[in-house]
Amino acid sequence: MKPTGPIPPDFQWRDGALMIGGRSADEWIAVAGDTPLFVYDLAVVRDRIARFRAAFAGVSLHYAVKANPHPPLVAAIAPLVDGIDVASAGEAQLALDAGMDARRVSFAGPGKRDRELAMAIEAGITLNLESEGEAERALAIGRGIGRTPRLALRINPDFELKGSGMKMGGGAKPFGVDAERAAPLVRRIVAAGADYRGLHIFAGSQALDAEALIEAQRSALALAARVSGEAGVAPPHVNLGGGFGIPHFANDAGLDESRVGGALSSALSHRDPILAEAEFTIELGRWLVGEAGVYLTRIVDRKASHGETFLIVDGGLHHQLAASGNFGTVVRRNYPISLTKYSDSAKVEEVTVVGCLCTPIDRLGDHVGLPEAKVGDVVALYLAGAYGASASPQAFLGHPPPLEITIDGTRIL
Ligand SMILES: *Cc1c(COP(=O)(O)O)cnc(C)c1O
């Protein structure tokens, strides 16, 4: 048997049935009407936001909507956070539709088209500029439509977030302007009469090591101070990035966010005077919503091959690519997985859970231990709240899209 990641502690069992919020997984399937089904539990997100607030007093929290753009979830999160970070005009519209004030929406990401820049400038959204060329296009579009663009500068940091699953800074990168070229561009933005909003420094994702995050945040603060000093311009706002990870695999331990918060608070109290008036933000996706989601998929077939047992489910990597190990991971390892019902008498067997796609990479649980399961039983895959439905190749092989619900207690939002 191969190990599986830890099931988030937010889920309980009642009479052998997996509970998600105030109802069992099977009840949610009955209410939603079918499988495969993603269920996002708002109570878990609220808990993470409360933990952030407790650890990071005085620091703003932004939701990085690319982690999960399910509209009812975004609408429920919007009033609980201080801003939403988007990376396309579509996500920007989603943030506005969720009721977020345009001045609290920031738009990063390479390759913004002119019409996306125009939409953002028109709406009063802050653009986190990714290059000198993008800055000039934004300034020209602002002049053309008679609006003062709100412009921040994303810096490609000259440091890395160590131990992060996905590096987004350090060395040659398509993201942000290289640190040594940042100050002249800040001066250019200010001289051109734009509304300069400050700096954005994002060094990586999926870090579980508090020390690595503490070091990255200190480096980001120092870099913001250095660039601002060189430019001679105090930034109204500094986005220090995010990168908080969640435990996916066996032996992963959760992040100690209170340690990170304590260290940031002390770093901020000693910050360079040029940052005295700045608002500081941390932007999080996965850490806020990843553990809140469960992907429920029904067993369609059970078969034996060369002495191994395969459970074949109605879902697959076309909905939950990350669990198959094909979304930015080097070695395939098992996400946490269970059945939605346990009977005490069932004996545990070793099975491989595969999706319904006709490709060998569609593997959701590889040689995992599950209670003996039959056709019609339902498999729960955890950590499905971030980079699931919207980050998977849904058109691949022509199966229908998954159902998605956001719940709060016993209600569907
Ligand atoms: C993807 C992304 C995030 C969110 O990353 P998580 O790992 O989900 O927290 C935040 N900021 C930027 C700039 C991103 O590209």
Side-chain angles (χ1 to χ4, degrees):
M1 249 179 276
K2 294 186 184 170
T4 57
I7 294 177
D10 311 87
F11 299 100
Q12 266 79 50
W13 296 83
R14 191 182 294 164
D15 302 327
L18 169 66
M19 301 297 294
I20 307 174
R23 292 174 190 255
S24 71
D26 294 86
E27 282 179 274
W28 288 122
I29 293 170
V31 173
D34 206 357
T35 51
L37 170 66
F38 283 91
V39 184
Y40 311 121
D41 184 357
L42 183 62
V44 178
V45 182
R46 254 197 243 106
D47 171 81
R48 300 306 186 268
I49 292 172
R51 272 167 57 182
F52 179 89
R53 299 292 187 199
F56 293 88
V59 177
S60 296
L61 172 62
H62 281 199
Y63 175 49
V65 79
K66 84 169 186 281
N68 190 327
H70 189 234
L73 180 65
V74 180
I77 291 175
L80 307 176
V81 295
D82 308 302
I84 293 187
D85 290 338
V86 304
S88 69
E91 286 190 351
Q93 193 57 54
L94 179 66
L96 298 178
D97 292 347
M100 184 53 75
D101 180 346
R103 287 167 302 180
R104 310 297 306 178
V105 177
S106 55
F107 182 175
K112 299 182 195 75
R113 299 181 185 200
D114 284 355
R115 62 171 177 262
E116 294 184 287
L117 296 173
M119 175 270 182
I121 293 168
E122 193 74 62
I125 287 170
T126 298
L127 289 165
N128 289 350
L129 299 168
E130 302 274 350
S131 73
E132 286 98 343
E134 193 172 88
E136 293 307 323
R137 284 193 294 131
L139 290 169
I141 288 167
R143 279 194 300 274
I145 60 177
R147 294 290 298 266
T148 305
R150 291 164 65 87
L151 302 182
L153 179 58
R154 180 169 179 180
I155 306 178
N156 173 22
D158 46 8
F159 60 89
E160 286 186 352
L161 174 54
K162 296 204 179 75
S164 65
M166 228 176 260
K167 292 196 175 27
M168 309 241 327
K173 287 284 180 303
F175 310 110
V177 173
D178 290 350
E180 57 277 14
R181 298 220 307 262
L185 189 52
V186 170
R187 281 197 297 267
R188 163 75 185 134
I189 291 167
V190 173
D195 184 0
Y196 172 60
R197 300 308 309 156
L199 301 169
H200 176 208
I201 302 167
F202 182 78
S205 266
Q206 185 48 20
L208 291 169
D209 177 5
E211 280 312 316
L213 279 163
I214 290 168
E215 197 189 308
Q217 289 179 349
R218 283 210 187 106
S219 303
L221 260 184
L223 177 56
R226 197 179 84 218
V227 167
S228 302
E230 276 170 33
V233 183
H237 186 245
V238 177
N239 180 331
L240 295 168
F244 296 13
I246 57 174
H248 284 83
F249 307 118
N251 306 321
D252 280 354
L255 174 70
D256 181 353
E257 77 279 355
S258 62
R259 236 174 92 204
V260 182
L264 179 58
S265 158
S266 97
L268 285 175
S269 64
H270 299 110
R271 67 185 182 268
D272 188 288
I274 201 157
L275 303 181
E277 300 300 321
E279 173 190 355
F280 293 90
T281 295
I282 289 182
E283 52 178 353
L284 298 176
R286 178 191 318 263
W287 191 83
L288 293 180
V289 296
E291 290 170 301
V294 185
Y295 179 58
L296 302 170
T297 175
R298 199 178 291 280
I299 299 170
V300 175
D301 199 4
R302 174 189 168 105
K303 62 190 274 188
S305 172
H306 289 269
E308 295 192 14
T309 303
F310 288 85
L311 302 178
I312 299 163
V313 297
D314 60 6
L317 71 75
H318 56 312
H319 301 158
Q320 191 37 358
L321 182 67
S324 76
N326 293 292
F327 188 64
T329 35
V330 181
V331 182
R332 194 208 170 283
R333 290 176 291 180
N334 287 317
Y335 269 43
I337 187 171
S338 76
L339 301 180
T340 57
K341 280 203 201 102
Y342 274 61
S343 81
D344 290 336
S345 57
K347 65 174 203 296
V348 171
E349 58 178 358
E350 181 174 320
V351 295
T352 290
V353 180
V354 299
C356 58
L357 301 189
C358 202
T359 159
I361 62 172
D362 193 8
R363 214 164 252 254
L364 300 175
D366 185 31
H367 294 89
V368 295
L370 289 179
E372 210 165 58
K374 55 185 191 311
V375 169
D377 289 347
V378 175
V379 170
L381 276 155
Y382 301 85
L383 312 183
Y387 306 108
S390 69
S392 302
Q394 294 194 19
F396 187 35
L397 272 145
H399 291 283
L403 297 171
E404 293 177 89
I405 54 174
T406 295
I407 61 127
D408 189 10
T410 56
R411 282 188 313 133
I412 295 182
L413 299 180

